[in-house]
Every structure is written in C-alpha cells, then in structure tokens.
Short mmCIF file of all heavy atoms in Angstrom, two decimals:
data_model
loop_
_atom_site.label_atom_id
_atom_site.label_comp_id
_atom_site.label_asym_id
_atom_site.label_seq_id
_atom_site.Cartn_x
_atom_site.Cartn_y
_atom_site.Cartn_z
N MET A 884 -77.37 92.14 16.92
CA MET A 884 -76.56 91.09 17.50
C MET A 884 -76.97 90.91 18.97
O MET A 884 -77.09 91.87 19.71
CB MET A 884 -75.09 91.50 17.41
CG MET A 884 -74.15 90.44 17.83
SD MET A 884 -72.51 90.87 17.29
CE MET A 884 -71.68 89.40 17.76
N PRO A 885 -77.17 89.66 19.40
CA PRO A 885 -77.61 89.44 20.77
C PRO A 885 -76.52 89.70 21.79
O PRO A 885 -75.33 89.69 21.47
CB PRO A 885 -78.02 87.97 20.77
CG PRO A 885 -77.26 87.36 19.67
CD PRO A 885 -77.08 88.44 18.63
N LYS A 886 -76.95 89.90 23.03
CA LYS A 886 -76.00 90.11 24.11
C LYS A 886 -75.32 88.78 24.46
O LYS A 886 -75.87 87.71 24.25
CB LYS A 886 -76.70 90.65 25.35
CG LYS A 886 -77.22 92.04 25.19
CD LYS A 886 -77.87 92.46 26.49
CE LYS A 886 -78.40 93.87 26.38
NZ LYS A 886 -79.05 94.29 27.62
N ILE A 887 -74.12 88.88 25.04
CA ILE A 887 -73.39 87.71 25.49
C ILE A 887 -73.69 87.50 26.96
O ILE A 887 -73.71 88.46 27.73
CB ILE A 887 -71.87 87.92 25.27
CG1 ILE A 887 -71.59 88.24 23.81
CG2 ILE A 887 -71.10 86.69 25.70
CD1 ILE A 887 -70.18 88.70 23.57
N LYS A 888 -73.92 86.25 27.35
CA LYS A 888 -74.21 85.98 28.76
C LYS A 888 -72.94 86.10 29.59
O LYS A 888 -71.87 85.68 29.17
CB LYS A 888 -74.80 84.58 28.92
CG LYS A 888 -76.23 84.49 28.47
CD LYS A 888 -76.88 83.24 28.98
CE LYS A 888 -78.35 83.27 28.67
NZ LYS A 888 -79.04 82.10 29.23
N THR A 889 -73.08 86.65 30.78
CA THR A 889 -71.98 86.83 31.71
C THR A 889 -71.89 85.62 32.63
O THR A 889 -72.90 85.15 33.14
CB THR A 889 -72.20 88.10 32.55
OG1 THR A 889 -72.21 89.22 31.69
CG2 THR A 889 -71.11 88.27 33.58
N HIS A 890 -70.68 85.14 32.85
CA HIS A 890 -70.44 84.06 33.81
C HIS A 890 -70.44 84.69 35.19
O HIS A 890 -69.53 85.42 35.57
CB HIS A 890 -69.09 83.39 33.50
CG HIS A 890 -68.90 82.09 34.18
ND1 HIS A 890 -68.23 81.98 35.38
CD2 HIS A 890 -69.29 80.85 33.85
CE1 HIS A 890 -68.22 80.71 35.73
NE2 HIS A 890 -68.85 80.01 34.81
N LYS A 891 -71.50 84.41 35.98
CA LYS A 891 -71.77 85.17 37.19
C LYS A 891 -70.71 84.97 38.28
O LYS A 891 -70.35 85.90 38.97
CB LYS A 891 -73.15 84.81 37.75
CG LYS A 891 -74.28 85.23 36.83
CD LYS A 891 -74.14 86.68 36.43
CE LYS A 891 -75.17 87.52 37.11
NZ LYS A 891 -75.09 88.92 36.77
N SER A 892 -70.21 83.74 38.44
CA SER A 892 -69.21 83.55 39.49
C SER A 892 -67.90 84.24 39.15
O SER A 892 -67.21 84.75 40.03
CB SER A 892 -68.98 82.06 39.74
OG SER A 892 -68.45 81.44 38.59
N THR A 893 -67.57 84.32 37.87
CA THR A 893 -66.36 85.05 37.45
C THR A 893 -66.53 86.54 37.68
O THR A 893 -65.60 87.22 38.11
CB THR A 893 -66.06 84.77 35.97
OG1 THR A 893 -66.00 83.36 35.77
CG2 THR A 893 -64.75 85.38 35.56
N SER A 894 -67.73 87.06 37.43
CA SER A 894 -67.95 88.49 37.62
C SER A 894 -67.86 88.89 39.09
O SER A 894 -67.55 90.03 39.41
CB SER A 894 -69.29 88.90 37.05
OG SER A 894 -70.34 88.33 37.79
N LYS A 895 -68.13 87.94 40.01
CA LYS A 895 -68.02 88.23 41.43
C LYS A 895 -66.59 88.15 41.94
O LYS A 895 -66.27 88.72 42.98
CB LYS A 895 -68.91 87.27 42.22
CG LYS A 895 -70.39 87.47 41.95
CD LYS A 895 -71.21 86.36 42.53
CE LYS A 895 -72.66 86.49 42.07
NZ LYS A 895 -73.47 85.35 42.49
N ARG A 896 -65.73 87.42 41.24
CA ARG A 896 -64.37 87.20 41.71
C ARG A 896 -63.37 88.22 41.18
O ARG A 896 -62.30 88.38 41.75
CB ARG A 896 -63.90 85.81 41.29
CG ARG A 896 -64.52 84.71 42.06
CD ARG A 896 -63.92 83.37 41.68
NE ARG A 896 -64.44 82.32 42.53
CZ ARG A 896 -65.40 81.47 42.17
NH1 ARG A 896 -65.93 81.55 40.97
NH2 ARG A 896 -65.82 80.56 43.00
N PHE A 897 -63.67 88.90 40.08
CA PHE A 897 -62.71 89.79 39.44
C PHE A 897 -63.25 91.21 39.36
O PHE A 897 -64.46 91.42 39.24
CB PHE A 897 -62.37 89.29 38.03
CG PHE A 897 -61.62 88.00 38.01
CD1 PHE A 897 -62.29 86.80 37.90
CD2 PHE A 897 -60.25 87.98 38.10
CE1 PHE A 897 -61.61 85.60 37.90
CE2 PHE A 897 -59.55 86.78 38.09
CZ PHE A 897 -60.24 85.59 37.98
N ARG A 898 -62.35 92.19 39.39
CA ARG A 898 -62.68 93.61 39.22
C ARG A 898 -61.64 94.24 38.30
O ARG A 898 -60.53 93.72 38.16
CB ARG A 898 -62.66 94.35 40.56
CG ARG A 898 -63.67 93.88 41.56
CD ARG A 898 -65.06 94.36 41.21
NE ARG A 898 -66.04 93.85 42.17
CZ ARG A 898 -66.81 92.81 41.94
NH1 ARG A 898 -66.73 92.14 40.83
NH2 ARG A 898 -67.68 92.42 42.84
N LEU A 899 -61.98 95.38 37.74
CA LEU A 899 -61.04 96.13 36.91
C LEU A 899 -60.55 97.34 37.67
O LEU A 899 -61.30 97.96 38.42
CB LEU A 899 -61.73 96.60 35.62
CG LEU A 899 -61.89 95.61 34.49
CD1 LEU A 899 -62.63 96.26 33.34
CD2 LEU A 899 -60.55 95.09 34.02
N THR A 900 -59.27 97.70 37.46
CA THR A 900 -58.75 98.93 38.02
C THR A 900 -59.08 100.08 37.08
O THR A 900 -59.67 99.88 36.02
CB THR A 900 -57.22 98.84 38.19
OG1 THR A 900 -56.63 98.68 36.90
CG2 THR A 900 -56.83 97.69 39.09
N GLY A 901 -58.70 101.29 37.45
CA GLY A 901 -58.94 102.44 36.61
C GLY A 901 -58.18 102.39 35.29
O GLY A 901 -58.62 102.93 34.28
N GLN A 902 -57.03 101.71 35.29
CA GLN A 902 -56.23 101.58 34.07
C GLN A 902 -56.66 100.38 33.22
O GLN A 902 -56.07 100.12 32.18
CB GLN A 902 -54.74 101.42 34.41
CG GLN A 902 -54.10 102.66 34.96
CD GLN A 902 -54.30 102.79 36.46
OE1 GLN A 902 -54.48 101.79 37.15
NE2 GLN A 902 -54.29 104.01 36.97
N GLY A 903 -57.66 99.62 33.69
CA GLY A 903 -58.14 98.48 32.93
C GLY A 903 -57.46 97.17 33.27
O GLY A 903 -57.63 96.19 32.56
N LYS A 904 -56.68 97.14 34.35
CA LYS A 904 -56.02 95.90 34.75
C LYS A 904 -56.97 95.07 35.61
O LYS A 904 -57.80 95.60 36.33
CB LYS A 904 -54.74 96.21 35.53
CG LYS A 904 -53.70 96.93 34.72
CD LYS A 904 -52.49 97.22 35.56
CE LYS A 904 -51.48 98.01 34.76
NZ LYS A 904 -50.32 98.38 35.59
N LEU A 905 -56.80 93.75 35.54
CA LEU A 905 -57.65 92.84 36.32
C LEU A 905 -57.10 92.65 37.71
O LEU A 905 -55.89 92.54 37.91
CB LEU A 905 -57.68 91.48 35.63
CG LEU A 905 -58.78 91.22 34.63
CD1 LEU A 905 -58.61 89.85 34.02
CD2 LEU A 905 -60.14 91.35 35.24
N ARG A 906 -57.99 92.62 38.69
CA ARG A 906 -57.63 92.28 40.07
C ARG A 906 -58.47 91.10 40.50
O ARG A 906 -59.60 90.94 40.05
CB ARG A 906 -57.92 93.44 41.01
CG ARG A 906 -57.09 94.65 40.76
CD ARG A 906 -57.39 95.72 41.76
NE ARG A 906 -58.83 95.98 41.82
CZ ARG A 906 -59.42 96.60 42.82
NH1 ARG A 906 -58.74 97.03 43.84
NH2 ARG A 906 -60.72 96.81 42.80
N ARG A 907 -57.92 90.28 41.39
CA ARG A 907 -58.64 89.12 41.88
C ARG A 907 -58.59 89.09 43.40
O ARG A 907 -57.69 89.67 44.00
CB ARG A 907 -58.05 87.83 41.33
CG ARG A 907 -56.64 87.57 41.81
CD ARG A 907 -56.14 86.20 41.43
NE ARG A 907 -54.76 86.03 41.82
CZ ARG A 907 -54.34 85.65 43.01
NH1 ARG A 907 -55.21 85.41 43.97
NH2 ARG A 907 -53.06 85.51 43.29
N THR A 908 -59.56 88.39 43.99
CA THR A 908 -59.55 88.20 45.43
C THR A 908 -58.65 87.02 45.77
O THR A 908 -58.44 86.13 44.96
CB THR A 908 -60.96 87.92 45.96
OG1 THR A 908 -61.51 86.83 45.24
CG2 THR A 908 -61.85 89.12 45.78
N LYS A 909 -58.13 87.02 46.99
CA LYS A 909 -57.29 85.91 47.42
C LYS A 909 -58.16 84.76 47.91
O LYS A 909 -59.28 84.96 48.37
CB LYS A 909 -56.36 86.36 48.55
CG LYS A 909 -55.32 87.35 48.08
CD LYS A 909 -54.34 87.62 49.19
CE LYS A 909 -53.25 88.54 48.73
NZ LYS A 909 -52.31 88.83 49.81
N GLN A 910 -57.64 83.54 47.81
CA GLN A 910 -58.40 82.37 48.23
C GLN A 910 -58.17 82.10 49.71
O GLN A 910 -57.22 82.59 50.30
CB GLN A 910 -57.99 81.17 47.39
CG GLN A 910 -56.52 80.82 47.45
CD GLN A 910 -56.27 79.62 48.32
OE1 GLN A 910 -57.14 78.81 48.54
NE2 GLN A 910 -55.07 79.51 48.82
N GLY A 911 -59.07 81.35 50.31
CA GLY A 911 -58.94 80.97 51.70
C GLY A 911 -59.59 81.92 52.67
O GLY A 911 -59.28 81.91 53.86
N LYS A 912 -60.52 82.74 52.21
CA LYS A 912 -61.13 83.75 53.06
C LYS A 912 -62.55 83.39 53.50
O LYS A 912 -63.06 83.96 54.45
CB LYS A 912 -61.16 85.06 52.27
CG LYS A 912 -61.59 86.27 53.03
CD LYS A 912 -61.62 87.46 52.13
CE LYS A 912 -62.87 88.24 52.30
NZ LYS A 912 -62.99 89.40 51.50
N SER A 913 -63.16 82.42 52.87
CA SER A 913 -64.60 82.24 53.04
C SER A 913 -64.99 81.46 54.29
O SER A 913 -66.06 81.69 54.84
CB SER A 913 -65.18 81.56 51.81
OG SER A 913 -64.59 80.29 51.65
N HIS A 914 -64.19 80.52 54.75
CA HIS A 914 -64.58 79.74 55.91
C HIS A 914 -63.36 79.42 56.76
O HIS A 914 -62.23 79.71 56.37
CB HIS A 914 -65.30 78.45 55.50
CG HIS A 914 -64.44 77.48 54.78
ND1 HIS A 914 -64.01 77.67 53.50
CD2 HIS A 914 -63.89 76.31 55.17
CE1 HIS A 914 -63.25 76.64 53.13
NE2 HIS A 914 -63.15 75.81 54.12
N LEU A 915 -63.59 78.84 57.95
CA LEU A 915 -62.55 78.55 58.93
C LEU A 915 -61.82 79.82 59.37
O LEU A 915 -60.60 79.84 59.51
CB LEU A 915 -61.54 77.51 58.39
CG LEU A 915 -62.10 76.16 57.99
CD1 LEU A 915 -61.02 75.30 57.38
CD2 LEU A 915 -62.71 75.46 59.18
N ARG A 916 -62.58 80.87 59.61
CA ARG A 916 -61.98 82.15 59.96
C ARG A 916 -61.71 82.30 61.45
O ARG A 916 -61.00 83.20 61.86
CB ARG A 916 -62.88 83.29 59.51
CG ARG A 916 -62.95 83.42 58.00
CD ARG A 916 -63.85 84.53 57.60
NE ARG A 916 -63.31 85.80 58.03
CZ ARG A 916 -62.97 86.78 57.23
NH1 ARG A 916 -63.12 86.64 55.95
NH2 ARG A 916 -62.51 87.90 57.70
N ARG A 917 -62.25 81.41 62.28
CA ARG A 917 -62.07 81.54 63.73
C ARG A 917 -60.62 81.36 64.13
O ARG A 917 -60.14 82.02 65.04
CB ARG A 917 -62.93 80.52 64.48
CG ARG A 917 -64.39 80.86 64.47
CD ARG A 917 -65.16 79.80 65.19
NE ARG A 917 -65.05 78.56 64.41
CZ ARG A 917 -65.26 77.35 64.89
NH1 ARG A 917 -65.60 77.20 66.14
NH2 ARG A 917 -65.17 76.29 64.13
N ARG A 918 -59.92 80.47 63.46
CA ARG A 918 -58.56 80.19 63.88
C ARG A 918 -57.51 81.05 63.17
O ARG A 918 -56.33 80.87 63.38
CB ARG A 918 -58.24 78.71 63.68
CG ARG A 918 -58.23 78.27 62.24
CD ARG A 918 -57.88 76.82 62.13
NE ARG A 918 -59.02 75.99 62.47
CZ ARG A 918 -59.26 74.80 61.95
NH1 ARG A 918 -58.43 74.30 61.08
NH2 ARG A 918 -60.31 74.12 62.30
N LYS A 919 -57.93 81.95 62.32
CA LYS A 919 -57.00 82.84 61.63
C LYS A 919 -56.81 84.13 62.42
O LYS A 919 -57.75 84.66 63.00
CB LYS A 919 -57.50 83.15 60.22
CG LYS A 919 -57.45 81.93 59.32
CD LYS A 919 -57.97 82.23 57.95
CE LYS A 919 -57.93 80.95 57.12
NZ LYS A 919 -58.89 80.93 56.07
N SER A 920 -55.59 84.63 62.39
CA SER A 920 -55.30 85.86 63.12
C SER A 920 -55.91 87.05 62.39
O SER A 920 -56.16 86.99 61.18
CB SER A 920 -53.79 86.04 63.26
OG SER A 920 -53.21 86.31 62.00
N PRO A 921 -56.12 88.17 63.08
CA PRO A 921 -56.67 89.36 62.41
C PRO A 921 -55.78 89.86 61.28
O PRO A 921 -56.28 90.36 60.27
CB PRO A 921 -56.77 90.38 63.54
CG PRO A 921 -56.88 89.58 64.78
CD PRO A 921 -56.08 88.34 64.54
N ARG A 922 -54.46 89.71 61.44
CA ARG A 922 -53.54 90.16 60.39
C ARG A 922 -53.72 89.32 59.12
O ARG A 922 -53.74 89.86 58.01
CB ARG A 922 -52.11 90.07 60.88
CG ARG A 922 -51.15 90.80 59.96
CD ARG A 922 -49.71 90.59 60.35
NE ARG A 922 -49.16 89.60 59.45
CZ ARG A 922 -48.40 88.59 59.80
NH1 ARG A 922 -48.09 88.38 61.04
NH2 ARG A 922 -47.95 87.75 58.91
N VAL A 923 -53.87 88.02 59.27
CA VAL A 923 -54.06 87.13 58.12
C VAL A 923 -55.38 87.43 57.43
O VAL A 923 -55.46 87.49 56.20
CB VAL A 923 -53.99 85.66 58.57
CG1 VAL A 923 -54.44 84.73 57.46
CG2 VAL A 923 -52.59 85.31 59.00
N LYS A 924 -56.43 87.69 58.22
CA LYS A 924 -57.73 88.01 57.62
C LYS A 924 -57.68 89.33 56.86
O LYS A 924 -58.30 89.47 55.81
CB LYS A 924 -58.80 88.06 58.71
CG LYS A 924 -59.17 86.69 59.23
CD LYS A 924 -60.37 86.76 60.12
CE LYS A 924 -59.95 86.66 61.56
NZ LYS A 924 -61.06 86.53 62.49
N ALA A 925 -56.93 90.28 57.38
CA ALA A 925 -56.79 91.57 56.68
C ALA A 925 -56.01 91.39 55.38
O ALA A 925 -56.34 92.01 54.36
CB ALA A 925 -56.09 92.58 57.58
N GLU A 926 -54.98 90.55 55.40
CA GLU A 926 -54.21 90.30 54.17
C GLU A 926 -55.04 89.57 53.12
O GLU A 926 -54.87 89.80 51.93
CB GLU A 926 -52.95 89.50 54.49
CG GLU A 926 -51.88 90.30 55.20
CD GLU A 926 -50.68 89.46 55.60
OE1 GLU A 926 -50.70 88.23 55.36
OE2 GLU A 926 -49.73 90.04 56.15
N LEU A 927 -55.93 88.69 53.57
CA LEU A 927 -56.77 87.96 52.62
C LEU A 927 -57.84 88.84 51.99
O LEU A 927 -58.34 88.53 50.92
CB LEU A 927 -57.45 86.77 53.32
CG LEU A 927 -56.56 85.60 53.68
CD1 LEU A 927 -57.34 84.58 54.48
CD2 LEU A 927 -55.95 84.97 52.46
N SER A 928 -58.19 89.94 52.65
CA SER A 928 -59.27 90.77 52.14
C SER A 928 -58.83 91.69 51.00
O SER A 928 -59.67 92.21 50.28
CB SER A 928 -59.87 91.61 53.26
OG SER A 928 -58.93 92.56 53.72
N GLU A 929 -57.52 91.89 50.83
CA GLU A 929 -57.08 92.78 49.76
C GLU A 929 -57.05 92.05 48.42
O GLU A 929 -56.94 90.82 48.37
CB GLU A 929 -55.70 93.36 50.08
CG GLU A 929 -54.60 92.33 50.14
CD GLU A 929 -53.29 92.92 50.63
OE1 GLU A 929 -53.32 93.80 51.50
OE2 GLU A 929 -52.25 92.48 50.13
N MET A 930 -57.16 92.79 47.34
CA MET A 930 -57.15 92.21 46.01
C MET A 930 -55.76 92.36 45.41
O MET A 930 -55.07 93.34 45.67
CB MET A 930 -58.20 92.89 45.14
CG MET A 930 -59.61 92.69 45.64
SD MET A 930 -60.83 93.39 44.57
CE MET A 930 -61.10 92.05 43.44
N VAL A 931 -55.37 91.40 44.58
CA VAL A 931 -54.05 91.40 43.96
C VAL A 931 -54.22 91.40 42.44
O VAL A 931 -55.23 90.90 41.92
CB VAL A 931 -53.21 90.19 44.41
CG1 VAL A 931 -52.86 90.29 45.87
CG2 VAL A 931 -53.91 88.90 44.12
N PRO A 932 -53.26 91.96 41.70
CA PRO A 932 -53.38 91.97 40.24
C PRO A 932 -53.22 90.57 39.65
O PRO A 932 -52.51 89.73 40.19
CB PRO A 932 -52.25 92.89 39.79
CG PRO A 932 -51.33 92.99 40.93
CD PRO A 932 -52.10 92.71 42.17
N VAL A 933 -53.90 90.36 38.53
CA VAL A 933 -53.83 89.08 37.83
C VAL A 933 -52.63 89.13 36.90
O VAL A 933 -52.45 90.07 36.13
CB VAL A 933 -55.11 88.83 37.02
CG1 VAL A 933 -54.99 87.59 36.16
CG2 VAL A 933 -56.29 88.71 37.94
N SER A 934 -51.76 88.10 37.00
CA SER A 934 -50.61 88.03 36.10
C SER A 934 -50.86 86.91 35.11
O SER A 934 -51.45 85.89 35.43
CB SER A 934 -49.34 87.75 36.90
OG SER A 934 -49.46 86.54 37.60
N GLY A 935 -50.42 87.10 33.91
CA GLY A 935 -50.60 86.09 32.87
C GLY A 935 -51.64 86.51 31.85
O GLY A 935 -52.79 86.74 32.18
N LYS A 936 -51.20 86.62 30.60
CA LYS A 936 -52.10 87.07 29.54
C LYS A 936 -53.19 86.06 29.22
O LYS A 936 -54.30 86.42 28.87
CB LYS A 936 -51.30 87.37 28.26
CG LYS A 936 -50.39 88.55 28.37
CD LYS A 936 -51.19 89.82 28.40
CE LYS A 936 -50.27 91.01 28.43
NZ LYS A 936 -51.00 92.26 28.53
N SER A 937 -52.87 84.76 29.36
CA SER A 937 -53.88 83.74 29.03
C SER A 937 -55.04 83.78 30.01
O SER A 937 -56.20 83.60 29.62
CB SER A 937 -53.24 82.36 29.00
OG SER A 937 -52.75 82.02 30.28
N ILE A 938 -54.75 84.02 31.29
CA ILE A 938 -55.82 84.10 32.30
C ILE A 938 -56.65 85.35 32.06
O ILE A 938 -57.88 85.32 32.15
CB ILE A 938 -55.22 84.09 33.71
CG1 ILE A 938 -54.49 82.77 33.95
CG2 ILE A 938 -56.29 84.31 34.76
CD1 ILE A 938 -53.68 82.74 35.21
N GLN A 939 -55.99 86.46 31.74
CA GLN A 939 -56.73 87.70 31.47
C GLN A 939 -57.65 87.55 30.27
O GLN A 939 -58.79 88.01 30.28
CB GLN A 939 -55.75 88.84 31.24
CG GLN A 939 -55.00 89.24 32.49
CD GLN A 939 -54.00 90.35 32.24
OE1 GLN A 939 -53.91 90.87 31.13
NE2 GLN A 939 -53.25 90.70 33.25
N LYS A 940 -57.16 86.87 29.24
CA LYS A 940 -57.97 86.66 28.05
C LYS A 940 -59.18 85.78 28.35
O LYS A 940 -60.29 86.04 27.89
CB LYS A 940 -57.12 86.01 26.96
CG LYS A 940 -57.81 85.93 25.61
CD LYS A 940 -56.97 85.16 24.61
CE LYS A 940 -55.76 85.93 24.18
NZ LYS A 940 -55.02 85.26 23.10
N ARG A 941 -58.99 84.76 29.19
CA ARG A 941 -60.08 83.86 29.56
C ARG A 941 -61.15 84.59 30.37
O ARG A 941 -62.34 84.41 30.15
CB ARG A 941 -59.52 82.69 30.36
CG ARG A 941 -60.50 81.57 30.56
CD ARG A 941 -59.88 80.41 31.27
NE ARG A 941 -58.66 79.97 30.62
CZ ARG A 941 -57.59 79.51 31.27
NH1 ARG A 941 -57.61 79.41 32.58
NH2 ARG A 941 -56.52 79.13 30.62
N VAL A 942 -60.70 85.45 31.29
CA VAL A 942 -61.66 86.19 32.12
C VAL A 942 -62.43 87.19 31.26
O VAL A 942 -63.65 87.35 31.41
CB VAL A 942 -60.93 86.89 33.27
CG1 VAL A 942 -61.85 87.86 33.99
CG2 VAL A 942 -60.39 85.87 34.25
N LYS A 943 -61.76 87.86 30.34
CA LYS A 943 -62.45 88.82 29.47
C LYS A 943 -63.50 88.13 28.61
O LYS A 943 -64.53 88.71 28.29
CB LYS A 943 -61.43 89.53 28.57
CG LYS A 943 -60.42 90.35 29.30
CD LYS A 943 -60.82 91.77 29.39
CE LYS A 943 -59.69 92.55 30.04
NZ LYS A 943 -59.94 93.94 30.13
N ARG A 944 -63.22 86.88 28.23
CA ARG A 944 -64.19 86.14 27.43
C ARG A 944 -65.41 85.74 28.27
O ARG A 944 -66.54 85.76 27.79
CB ARG A 944 -63.53 84.90 26.84
CG ARG A 944 -64.39 84.21 25.80
CD ARG A 944 -63.69 83.01 25.19
NE ARG A 944 -62.47 83.39 24.52
CZ ARG A 944 -61.33 82.69 24.58
NH1 ARG A 944 -61.26 81.59 25.30
NH2 ARG A 944 -60.25 83.09 23.94
N LEU A 945 -65.17 85.37 29.53
CA LEU A 945 -66.27 84.95 30.39
C LEU A 945 -67.12 86.13 30.86
O LEU A 945 -68.31 85.99 31.09
CB LEU A 945 -65.72 84.21 31.62
CG LEU A 945 -65.21 82.81 31.40
CD1 LEU A 945 -64.49 82.31 32.63
CD2 LEU A 945 -66.32 81.87 31.02
N VAL A 946 -66.49 87.30 31.04
CA VAL A 946 -67.19 88.47 31.56
C VAL A 946 -66.95 89.64 30.60
O VAL A 946 -66.10 90.48 30.84
CB VAL A 946 -66.69 88.81 32.98
CG1 VAL A 946 -67.59 89.85 33.61
CG2 VAL A 946 -66.64 87.60 33.86
N PRO A 947 -67.71 89.70 29.52
CA PRO A 947 -67.45 90.75 28.53
C PRO A 947 -67.83 92.14 28.99
O PRO A 947 -67.29 93.13 28.48
CB PRO A 947 -68.30 90.32 27.33
CG PRO A 947 -69.36 89.47 27.91
CD PRO A 947 -68.77 88.80 29.11
N TYR A 948 -68.72 92.27 29.96
CA TYR A 948 -69.18 93.59 30.41
C TYR A 948 -68.65 93.94 31.78
O TYR A 948 -69.31 94.64 32.55
CB TYR A 948 -70.71 93.62 30.42
CG TYR A 948 -71.33 93.17 29.12
CD1 TYR A 948 -71.99 91.96 29.02
CD2 TYR A 948 -71.20 93.94 27.98
CE1 TYR A 948 -72.52 91.53 27.84
CE2 TYR A 948 -71.74 93.53 26.77
CZ TYR A 948 -72.41 92.33 26.70
OH TYR A 948 -72.93 91.90 25.50
N LEU A 949 -67.45 93.47 32.12
CA LEU A 949 -66.87 93.69 33.44
C LEU A 949 -66.56 95.18 33.64
O LEU A 949 -65.99 95.82 32.77
CB LEU A 949 -65.59 92.87 33.60
CG LEU A 949 -64.94 92.88 34.96
CD1 LEU A 949 -65.83 92.20 35.97
CD2 LEU A 949 -63.60 92.17 34.91
N LYS A 950 -66.98 95.70 34.78
CA LYS A 950 -66.75 97.11 35.12
C LYS A 950 -66.10 97.22 36.47
O LYS A 950 -66.13 96.28 37.28
CB LYS A 950 -68.07 97.88 35.11
CG LYS A 950 -68.69 97.98 33.76
CD LYS A 950 -69.95 98.81 33.81
CE LYS A 950 -70.58 98.88 32.43
NZ LYS A 950 -71.85 99.53 32.44
N ASP A 951 -65.54 98.37 36.76
CA ASP A 951 -64.93 98.63 38.06
C ASP A 951 -66.03 98.92 39.07
O ASP A 951 -66.92 99.72 38.83
CB ASP A 951 -63.98 99.82 37.96
CG ASP A 951 -63.19 100.02 39.22
OD1 ASP A 951 -62.93 99.02 39.90
OD2 ASP A 951 -62.83 101.17 39.51
N LYS A 952 -65.99 98.22 40.22
CA LYS A 952 -66.98 98.46 41.27
C LYS A 952 -66.32 98.99 42.50
O LYS A 952 -65.22 98.76 42.79
CB LYS A 952 -67.71 97.16 41.62
CG LYS A 952 -68.67 96.75 40.55
CD LYS A 952 -69.48 95.56 41.00
CE LYS A 952 -70.44 95.14 39.93
NZ LYS A 952 -71.20 93.98 40.28
#
C-alpha cells in the first residue's frame, strides 16, 4: 500500500502532546510585531489545545504521520 502524502502547511501548524492531543499555534504572530508589546508576543508564542472533534479528525486526515516535536 502506498504512503499518504502529508499536507505540509498543516504539519507546520499542529503538534501532538504526549497524551496524543492536538495543539495549535495562535494566529497573529507572523507580522506587524513592532507595535505589539512583549507580553502580547509572549502570549502569542504559546500553543493551545485544539477543541472540537471535527477539526481534530480533519487534521489527522491531512497529516497522518504527525509526531510530537
């Protein structure tokens, strides 16, 4: 059986925890950082858990070989 292709942008946005839960990065971190306070930038850098079974199922389908990094 052939390998399934990984959706590369999805694999960069999501990570797995040790228990197998999905985490995602927060949006709004990539540009316009000069006018943001250091506290806001620190809050944007942390990852938050993904809520919703439908989103988790969609991500698992796009990234079948997702591992914890």
Side-chain angles (χ1 to χ4, degrees):
M884 186 165 186
K886 292 181 180 179
I887 304 170
K888 286 195 172 184
T889 297
H890 194 264
K891 295 309 253 180
S892 64
T893 306
S894 67
K895 294 170 188 174
R896 287 185 174 102
F897 293 93
R898 297 285 178 260
L899 280 178
T900 63
Q902 291 85 26
K904 296 179 183 176
L905 269 177
R906 295 182 308 162
R907 65 171 175 85
T908 54
K909 292 187 177 179
Q910 58 104 23
K912 187 182 133 179
S913 61
H914 66 288
L915 301 176
R916 291 180 65 118
R917 286 179 294 160
R918 66 178 78 149
K919 291 179 181 154
S920 69
R922 193 187 101 224
V923 169
K924 287 189 257 188
E926 286 176 358
L927 288 175
S928 67
E929 64 187 36
M930 297 183 87
V931 293
V933 173
S934 60
K936 292 289 183 183
S937 63
I938 297 170
Q939 291 178 4
K940 188 185 289 186
R941 191 176 308 144
V942 170
K943 297 265 185 178
R944 190 178 299 138
L945 286 170
V946 190
Y948 308 109
L949 186 66
K950 294 183 181 174
D951 188 30
K952 287 187 180 177

